[in-house]
Amino acid sequence: MKLTKEDVIYVADLARLEIDENEVDKYVEQLGKILEYEDQLNQIDTTDVLPTAHVLPVKNVLREDVPVPSLDREKALMNAPSQDKGCFKVPKVIE
Amino acid sequence: MDKINTIHEINALIDAGEITYEDVAMKYLDRIEDVEGKVDSFLKIMKEEALEQAKAADAATDEKPHSELFGIPYGLKDNICSEGVETTCASKILKGFIPPYDATVSSKLKAAGAIVLGKTNMDEFAMGSSNENSSVKSTKNPWDLSRVPGGSSGGSAACVAADEVVFSLGSDTGGSIRQPASFCGVVGMKPTYGLVSRYGLVAFASSLDQIGPITKDVTDCAIVLNHIAGHDEKDSTSVRKEKEDYTSYLDTNIKGLKIGIAKEYFAEGLNPDVEKSLQEAIEVYKSLGAEIVEVDLPNSKYALSAYYIISSAEASSNLARYDGIRYGYRAEEYDDLMDLYKKTRSQGFGDEVKRRIMLGTYALSSGYYDAYYKKALQVRTLIKRDFDEAFKNCDVLLSPTCPTTAFKLGEKSDDPLEMYLSDIYTVPVNIAGIPAISVPCGFDSNGLPIGMQLTGEAFGEKHILKAAYAYEQATDHHRKKAKL
């Protein structure tokens, strides 16, 4: 599968990255080369092979539903670039 | 003071009353003063705090029996959170981030009395094999300052090799502990996935990441592992199992131990000096009474392809959290919320991180998911099966850690794929979730260290520690020091 300029622009938008006009070609070339290498995966017959998302046989890990303290507000906000009245401050979301 | 070297040697000197914890801390801080300008291992050095802790350690000496790590100075990779100490992953996007909590490994080492001397440099978000992707600076290889220390835990390996600390912690997603340990001539272990809590480790690829020790010898590796291993309710992927004393496996008698050799790990592209050293190591094992068996890992050649899809896909998801809202960098100028996200991320992440986010997003996007992501997970199953089969016939697998020794700064930084190939022997281990250790096994014609990788089955740390220890006791590669 050949990677196109349109693919790069589309994926950058999905990934919330802003890419300059002149960077698009660089990504087409570099990612294209990596994807070319990845194409060797298609040589392998994986019919009836189950995917392994996780190596351990761990299923849902549950605990007793007992309330415990979480990070307090002051600590949770201490790294915020902008905050106001105990909340994270963001640009207007709803017009 | 030359005898101050490993954890066990320092403890012997303390017990004999020959030195104090303050002497130990001073020795390492002086050494940092002398060589840090050349090596650049650290992003942050905590001199005052460390000295204070060392003095407190001396004052507390008589109260109760201390752990082996009590008063021992170490380096902490900058993607492991330490409460109140800036943790940046060597990324602009996390500059100034002060974790409001300790990673579980940090709190365990704190409880044991170990002293953090500094946070170590790394490739940004642990993505890289040379430390050149750090947004701050490139760490140099103590054996040759024109060469890379490896990566991504390059700072953690270099500071141990340069004698700036006694040991360090790194993280390993595709070889990030073992490859720099190999390049810097020190011991580095990636434990079995789930053995060490990942709580407080900044996530790169959650199904592959694992924290592990970088040390000067195998004994120290076992000591540190004793302190960091164990179930943690804050990491649901950490495994509940009986506690082991890893130092109890350090035994020179390996008669009958079955060591597997896979021809796939001695393939084209392997540097002849590396191959020669490995052949010599095999002879050492034979002379110690180990049995050498041939095994096949036919799918290992696909591991790197699968790895870059899986790790990048997980990274693209994990790194979505850096949005300029709750912590870290926020772009100064933007039009609206979407523009804030995009500008913050584009200005905050470096090139390699963006490349992997793009690759991962592509592999997970509609229309490509089956061809790349699902396919990679199926190949993962095949690679894991290969290892399962191999371990039916052997106790440990022996291979080079890397196909080459340390390369020059700048040599591979323009070609991402070429850089990725440095991890070709280390990534299959992460894909399968099994443990592996890199130990020094010789030097190339330029005097650069060569590493041997010993791999075990899941939770088979005892086998690789035993094999590594027996080899180390029969050789003296680990005693050679970089001249700085």
Side-chain angles (χ1 to χ4, degrees), chain A residues 2-19:
Chain A
K2 191 110 181 79
L3 191 75
T4 64
K5 278 188 177 191
E6 289 70 34
D7 289 333
V8 166
I9 293 165
Y10 172 67
V11 170
D13 183 57
L14 287 180
R16 303 292 183 253
L17 290 169
E18 193 175 65
I19 296 184

Side-chain angles (χ1 to χ4, degrees), chain B residues 51-130:
Chain B
L51 268 181
E52 225 169 86
Q53 273 179 274
K55 284 177 187 164
D58 282 322
T61 302
D62 291 322
E63 288 168 20
K64 58 176 191 285
H66 297 301
S67 88
E68 296 131 300
L69 297 185
F70 190 81
I72 302 291
Y74 77 102
L76 188 62
K77 189 175 178 181
D78 204 37
N79 59 352
I80 300 174
C81 289
S82 192
E83 187 176 353
V85 180
E86 187 181 5
T87 298
T88 69
C89 292
S91 179
K92 184 180 168 190
I93 213 158
L94 273 176
K95 196 168 174 5
F97 175 69
I98 310 286
Y101 60 91
D102 268 329
T104 297
V105 291
S106 304
S107 57
K108 282 186 169 191
L109 292 186
K110 210 178 263 182
I115 298 173
V116 190
L117 284 200
K119 299 297 296 275
T120 62
N121 195 23
M122 56 187 280
D123 287 295
E124 183 180 2
F125 283 103
M127 297 175 187
S129 311
S130 70

Side-chain angles (χ1 to χ4, degrees), chain B residues 219-404:
Chain B
T219 303
D220 277 7
C221 179
I223 292 171
V224 177
L225 190 61
N226 271 351
H227 286 276
I228 60 173
H231 175 256
D232 177 12
E233 62 180 22
K234 290 177 180 150
D235 173 4
S236 56
T237 63
S238 78
V239 172
R240 282 181 199 279
K241 63 187 283 295
E242 215 166 297
K243 205 159 174 53
E244 292 175 78
D245 176 5
Y246 294 101
T247 61
S248 69
Y249 307 126
L250 304 176
D251 182 358
T252 52
N253 180 6
I254 55 161
K255 277 201 176 60
L257 187 81
K258 284 189 178 171
I259 296 180
I261 310 281
K263 61 178 179 309
E264 290 85 358
Y265 280 31
F266 290 83
E268 203 185 329
L270 182 61
N271 172 303
D273 287 354
V274 175
E275 182 166 12
K276 186 166 165 278
S277 272
L278 266 293
Q279 294 301 345
E280 284 166 10
I282 292 169
E283 291 308 313
V284 170
Y285 275 115
K286 282 183 187 164
S287 74
L288 292 171
E291 191 187 327
I292 307 294
V293 293
E294 269 187 43
V295 296
D296 290 322
L297 296 170
N299 291 295
S300 65
K301 60 178 176 292
Y302 303 117
L304 201 63
S305 297
Y307 171 79
Y308 275 95
I309 294 296
I310 296 167
S311 64
S312 301
E314 292 186 19
S316 72
S317 168
N318 273 326
L319 272 61
R321 73 190 66 180
Y322 303 101
D323 55 7
I325 304 295
R326 290 150 300 157
Y327 42 76
Y329 175 77
R330 177 186 288 191
E332 279 173 24
E333 287 175 29
Y334 45 85
D335 297 330
D336 53 20
L337 188 62
M338 181 60 88
D339 198 41
L340 181 157
Y341 291 154
K342 287 191 174 180
K343 287 209 162 65
T344 295
R345 291 166 60 78
S346 303
Q347 294 164 16
F349 290 134
D351 285 346
E352 180 63 20
V353 174
K354 284 190 229 179
R355 210 155 30 231
R356 300 221 198 171
I357 291 173
M358 292 282 286
L359 178 65
T361 306
Y362 180 75
L364 290 174
S365 67
S366 171
Y368 299 101
Y369 183 93
D370 282 357
Y372 290 107
Y373 185 62
K374 190 178 165 206
K375 187 81 182 181
L377 293 184
Q378 288 174 312
V379 172
R380 183 179 203 175
T381 305
L382 297 177
I383 291 165
K384 193 165 177 290
R385 278 187 202 160
D386 279 0
F387 279 114
D388 291 345
E389 277 304 309
F391 287 118
K392 284 181 185 164
N393 299 314
C394 65
D395 303 305
V396 299
L397 285 167
L398 182 155
S399 71
T401 306
C402 302
T404 67

Side-chain angles (χ1 to χ4, degrees), chain B residues 2-174:
Chain B
D2 283 347
K3 286 184 287 179
I4 301 179
N5 184 34
T6 62
I7 298 167
H8 53 103
E9 285 161 359
I10 291 171
N11 278 321
L13 293 171
I14 294 274
D15 290 346
E18 286 183 37
I19 51 166
T20 64
Y21 292 115
E22 193 181 345
D23 293 335
V24 176
M26 274 316 295
K27 177 203 145 145
Y28 286 98
L29 288 167
D30 286 347
R31 176 72 175 168
I32 288 173
E33 190 85 18
D34 289 345
V35 301
E36 178 60 13
K38 295 183 200 166
V39 183
D40 278 324
S41 305
F42 293 101
L43 291 173
K44 185 181 178 66
I45 295 163
M46 291 138 78
K47 186 178 175 178
E48 300 307 320
E49 298 92 324
L51 268 181
E52 225 169 86
Q53 273 179 274
K55 284 177 187 164
D58 282 322
T61 302
D62 291 322
E63 288 168 20
K64 58 176 191 285
H66 297 301
S67 88
E68 296 131 300
L69 297 185
F70 190 81
I72 302 291
Y74 77 102
L76 188 62
K77 189 175 178 181
D78 204 37
N79 59 352
I80 300 174
C81 289
S82 192
E83 187 176 353
V85 180
E86 187 181 5
T87 298
T88 69
C89 292
S91 179
K92 184 180 168 190
I93 213 158
L94 273 176
K95 196 168 174 5
F97 175 69
I98 310 286
Y101 60 91
D102 268 329
T104 297
V105 291
S106 304
S107 57
K108 282 186 169 191
L109 292 186
K110 210 178 263 182
I115 298 173
V116 190
L117 284 200
K119 299 297 296 275
T120 62
N121 195 23
M122 56 187 280
D123 287 295
E124 183 180 2
F125 283 103
M127 297 175 187
S129 311
S130 70
N131 256 40
E132 291 166 295
N133 294 336
S134 164
S135 75
V136 184
K137 59 186 177 182
S138 291
T139 299
K140 284 82 180 174
N141 192 311
W143 293 85
D144 178 346
L145 299 171
S146 70
R147 291 176 189 269
V148 303
S152 67
S153 311
S156 286
C159 69
V160 174
D163 273 326
E164 295 179 294
V165 294
V166 184
F167 74 95
S168 67
L169 291 188
S171 67
D172 191 315
T173 306

